[in-house]
């Protein structure tokens, strides 16, 4: 079942999504089941925070809908261990959403040393973890948008989506072993995400996450100085 739900209030949005109506314009969700053949998705939904657009007319409703529809379009390949920088980067690229002001301010005031890609890869969603602030969440989204842009600009669109799709191609035995760590589903997926990301990065691009981080941040410095 595919569903779109428009919440009329921030409180209503928070109630149905578990995410702050003060922070999010929309969110897409899928329900996962781990079966003998692997992970299957049997439900998809995206939520739009209607109240946020009424309170701030500068927000782009069409871009938000395009962003969330991209998540639904890619949901068959989006696993619970897909890093958020991969899934959100793809959605922001597809919706032409590149927060230049946010990434520029972060790079100049905080610097690239404040984001570690391996650590970032353990986040399977942004803004929902303990201690997440509006500023940090904005930086993570911006970092992801420009990282996806870097990969597509440097290696091409087809290779990026080959990389994206490859997360769905993980042996079910490896997945089950990770789930048997007795840390809980979300914690297990968070621990699994950077391992899979590094493997898939090496398989598709021939580099590890540390090399990607260095190359991306050098490219980003050139972009921001241009």
């Amino acid at each position: 079942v595919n569903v779109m739900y428009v919440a009329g209030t921030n409180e209503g949005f928070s109630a149905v999504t578990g995410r702050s109506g003060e922070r999010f314009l929309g969110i897409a969700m899928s329900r996962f089941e781990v079966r003998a053949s692997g992970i299957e998705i049997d439900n998809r939904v995206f939520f739009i925070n209607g109240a946020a657009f009424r309170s701030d007319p500068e927000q782009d409703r069409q871009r938000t809908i395009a962003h969330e529809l991209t998540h639904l379009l890619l949901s068959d390949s989006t696993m619970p261990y897909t890093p958020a920088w991969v899934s959100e980067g793809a959605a922001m690229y597809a919706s032409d959403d590149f927060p230049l002001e946010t990434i520029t301010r972060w790079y100049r005031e905080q610097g690239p040393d404040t984001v570690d890609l391996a650590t970032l890869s353990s986040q399977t969603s942004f803004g929902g973890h303990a201690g997440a602030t509006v500023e940090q969440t904005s930086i993570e989204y911006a970092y992801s948008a420009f990282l996806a842009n870097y990969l597509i600009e440097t290696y091409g669109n087809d290779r990026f989506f080959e990389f994206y799709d490859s997360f769905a191609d993980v042996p079910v035995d490896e997945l089950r072993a990770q789930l048997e760590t007795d840390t809980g589903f979300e914690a297990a997926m968070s621990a699994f995400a950077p391992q899979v990301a590094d493997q898939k990065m090496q398989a598709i691009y021939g580099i590890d996450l540390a090399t990607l981080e260095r190359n991306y941040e050098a490219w980003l410095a050139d972009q921001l100085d241009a």
Side-chain angles (χ1 to χ4, degrees):
V1 176
N2 302 307
V3 176
M4 180 180 77
Y5 182 95
V6 180
T9 65
N10 286 331
E11 295 75 16
F13 180 84
S14 298
V16 295
T17 66
R19 300 296 181 89
S20 170
E22 303 292 337
R23 297 186 183 185
F24 287 87
L25 299 175
I27 189 170
M29 295 180 174
S30 298
R31 186 171 67 188
F32 301 97
E33 287 192 18
V34 182
R35 299 179 178 173
S37 58
I39 289 178
E40 294 187 18
I41 301 168
D42 62 4
N43 186 284
R44 303 169 180 85
V45 58
F46 78 90
F47 302 89
I48 297 297
N49 185 0
F53 295 99
R54 289 197 304 274
S55 63
D56 186 358
E58 295 298 316
Q59 298 291 354
D60 191 331
R61 186 190 301 263
Q62 183 173 348
R63 174 173 282 169
T64 299
I65 292 173
H67 179 114
E68 303 308 337
L69 283 175
T70 299
H71 283 312
L72 293 192
L73 180 66
L74 296 174
S75 61
D76 285 343
S77 299
T78 308
M79 299 293 103
Y81 51 81
T82 298
W85 73 259
V86 179
S87 57
E88 296 298 345
M92 295 186 79
Y93 181 86
S95 58
D96 196 28
D97 187 4
F98 299 103
L100 182 59
E101 182 178 345
T102 300
I103 199 76
T104 300
R105 184 172 62 253
W106 162 76
Y107 193 92
R108 293 177 178 168
E109 295 181 2
Q110 299 183 35
D113 290 344
T114 60
V115 172
D116 174 70
L117 185 56
T119 301
L120 188 68
S121 294
S122 69
Q123 293 189 41
T124 56
S125 64
F126 291 149
H129 58 283
T133 64
V134 173
E135 179 184 18
Q136 185 61 32
T137 300
S138 298
I139 290 169
E140 290 165 352
Y141 273 100
Y143 187 97
S144 302
F146 283 89
L147 180 50
N149 190 42
Y150 162 74
L151 286 170
I152 291 170
E153 182 177 296
T154 304
Y155 299 100
N157 188 77
D158 289 347
R159 190 178 292 190
F160 177 79
F161 285 101
E162 180 185 359
F163 171 66
Y164 196 110
D165 291 341
S166 72
F167 282 84
D169 185 23
V170 169
V172 68
D173 290 344
E174 290 185 21
L175 175 61
R176 289 189 177 279
Q178 185 66 33
L179 289 172
E180 290 171 0
T181 57
D182 198 29
T183 57
F185 184 80
E186 291 188 8
M189 295 299 94
S190 179
F192 199 37
Q195 300 174 37
V196 177
D198 197 61
Q199 292 171 3
K200 299 305 183 182
M201 180 59 58
Q202 293 189 54
I204 304 300
Y205 290 104
I207 58 175
D208 59 15
L209 285 178
T211 302
L212 169 63
E213 183 176 8
R214 289 194 300 272
N215 293 347
Y216 164 57
E217 289 176 356
W219 172 87
L220 185 60
D222 289 340
Q223 299 300 304
L224 298 180
D225 286 340

